[in-house]
Amino acid sequence: MKGKWFSKLTAGLLMSSLLVAGCSNSEEGSTGEKGGPVELKVGTWAGATELKEFQEIVDQLNEETDEYNLTIQSIPADYYKKIQTMASAKQAPDLFWLSQEYIPMYAELGVISPLDEYVKDHKEVDLDDYFEGPLAIGQMKDKLYGLPWINQPIMLYYNKSLFEKEGVEVPQADWTWDEFSKAAKAITKDTDGDGKTDQYGTNIDGWPPISTWVWTYGGEIIDKDGNVKIDEPEAIEGIKKFDELINKDKVAPDKTQSQNTGGPEMFKTGKIGMFFGGAGDDFEKQIGDSFDVGMTEVPHATEQATFSWIADTVMSSNTKNKDVAAEALIDLTNAMHEWKILPPTKSDLENVADIRPEKEYALDVMKKASEYSRGYNNQSKQAEIDTAIWQYLYEPILLGDKSPEDAAKETAEALRKIIGQ
């Protein structure tokens, strides 16, 4: 949700000044006893239950090899601030996790090493098995800087029981935004007769990202060549639909109400009919028998598209034993494909029902979404870009303060300044 998203963005804004000192090519960090396994540290934001599960994976890998020994370095709070501080001191973990918005900056500053020579012809790495979107976020200037361990496309969850109660057709995989809007308006109503809407079709409060509309209308925010496109006709059409849902159709609670209660909580308590959530969200478990949950693909206009949260395992440029560290990175990443959903590889996607049985009902739609889900086109200043989009476009439209055209124009101007166009 937006609060967590912006805490990450704020941390990202601090990064440039702190990482420059960590770009030395000196090889420090990894240690190992001569003749014994190489000692490698793995940085993770995992905490509590997730950390325990990750530890089990690491323990199993350590048992299966005498080449390396992995030790987890858990950083459950202020992860990026602490990673950047360690990188500045050339003490970053040998391997660590990075979410997609940070990979370009770390690669550009030389904090992480390219993996191409290690994965080329490796028997345990098939780059063709990866879905295009997840693999692309680790690629910069024809070099591969990370292997993805999760692909979390945005899906459309819906309250099947509520749809049936209201006599509205449940969401379909081939729904257009107009069909979505029609259903959302039919769900939105004052159920207790007090003159105030208390049941909504959906929730839009900073989440989902604006790309949800821009991409499905054939537009781009910034294209693969680094050109700002958010003020072009296709993107503006998507922004118009975004504005229409909020300010004309009024199918979502206002910003204050939504953020006070929380979109996920409103969905779980039956206050909204449709919610844009990650494929791995555990709504099915949390809702239990309260109502029937459904999942399908995000609606579209001219193109099917959905944003995906993606994270990679990367290797510090300062790790001493790169050959062994790369081997550990490959083993660890492959093992995580059997832990987290959705895996970024086509072959491992078949295991989702074993990993999370409650998701089996939606396996087909998750497979389809995985084929076209993606992250943003790589930009080293993605944190600043995201902040500008919120400041000049997303929030003003949420508040009804700007037209889509004006918001797109001002956002484009801000983005061009950020990336130096």
Side-chain angles (χ1 to χ4, degrees), residues 299-320:
H300 68 281
T302 60
E303 296 182 16
Q304 284 189 303
T306 191
F307 174 80
S308 183
W309 184 82
I310 304 160
D312 279 16
T313 316
V314 298
M315 179 170 68
S316 169
S317 60
N318 289 316
T319 191
K320 186 175 181 180

Side-chain angles (χ1 to χ4, degrees), residues 150-153 155 157 277-284 295 340-342 356 358-359 366:
I150 191 169
N151 181 38
Q152 184 82 282
M155 307 295 296
Y157 288 88
D281 288 350
D282 61 350
F283 286 124
E284 296 87 357
M295 183 202 296
K340 288 292 186 179
I341 71 165
L342 296 181
R356 296 275 296 278
E358 75 278 10
K359 294 289 185 180
M366 291 190 293

Side-chain angles (χ1 to χ4, degrees), residues 135-287:
L135 188 62
I137 64 104
Q139 296 172 322
M140 288 282 293
K141 298 179 180 178
D142 298 322
K143 292 184 179 180
L144 180 68
Y145 285 91
L147 286 180
W149 53 266
I150 191 169
N151 181 38
Q152 184 82 282
I154 295 176
M155 307 295 296
L156 182 64
Y157 288 88
Y158 59 93
N159 183 332
K160 189 183 300 185
S161 303
L162 182 58
F163 272 79
E164 292 173 354
K165 175 186 173 184
E166 299 294 349
V168 181
E169 178 191 14
V170 298
Q172 302 295 314
D174 61 352
W175 260 19
T176 64
W177 282 112
D178 288 340
E179 289 168 312
F180 173 88
S181 177
K182 180 180 178 181
K185 286 189 286 186
I187 293 290
T188 302
K189 58 178 57 179
D190 170 13
T191 62
D192 58 13
D194 67 352
K196 298 179 181 179
T197 302
D198 49 27
Q199 177 178 287
Y200 292 90
T202 192
N203 186 71
I204 304 169
D205 66 349
W207 180 264
I210 194 63
S211 58
T212 306
W213 291 275
V214 170
W215 292 348
T216 55
Y217 276 82
E220 278 287 357
I221 297 171
I222 299 175
D223 68 15
K224 291 181 179 180
D225 296 322
N227 301 306
V228 174
K229 298 287 187 178
I230 199 167
D231 55 347
E232 295 198 348
E234 296 85 356
I236 291 175
E237 284 303 306
I239 298 168
K240 284 181 178 178
K241 175 56 70 174
F242 167 69
D243 175 65
E244 179 182 294
L245 290 167
I246 297 166
N247 297 309
K248 180 183 176 182
D249 298 342
K250 298 185 183 298
V251 296
D254 64 35
K255 177 189 172 188
T256 300
Q257 181 182 358
S258 175
Q259 293 181 357
N260 285 344
T261 307
E265 191 63 29
M266 293 185 75
F267 181 66
K268 288 185 288 184
T269 55
K271 297 297 184 182
I272 60 175
M274 295 176 282
F275 183 79
F276 297 94
D281 288 350
D282 61 350
F283 286 124
E284 296 87 357
K285 287 184 176 180
Q286 293 189 45
I287 290 167

Side-chain angles (χ1 to χ4, degrees), residues 18-37:
L18 292 174
L19 286 181
V20 172
C23 298
S24 167
N25 290 323
S26 63
E27 297 194 342
E28 301 175 10
S30 296
T31 59
E33 297 294 332
K34 187 173 181 180

Side-chain angles (χ1 to χ4, degrees), residues 400-417:
D401 291 342
K402 288 183 185 177
S403 70
E405 294 85 355
D406 288 344
K409 179 181 178 181
E410 292 181 27
T411 304
E413 291 173 354
L415 298 187
R416 291 186 177 108
K417 287 180 181 179

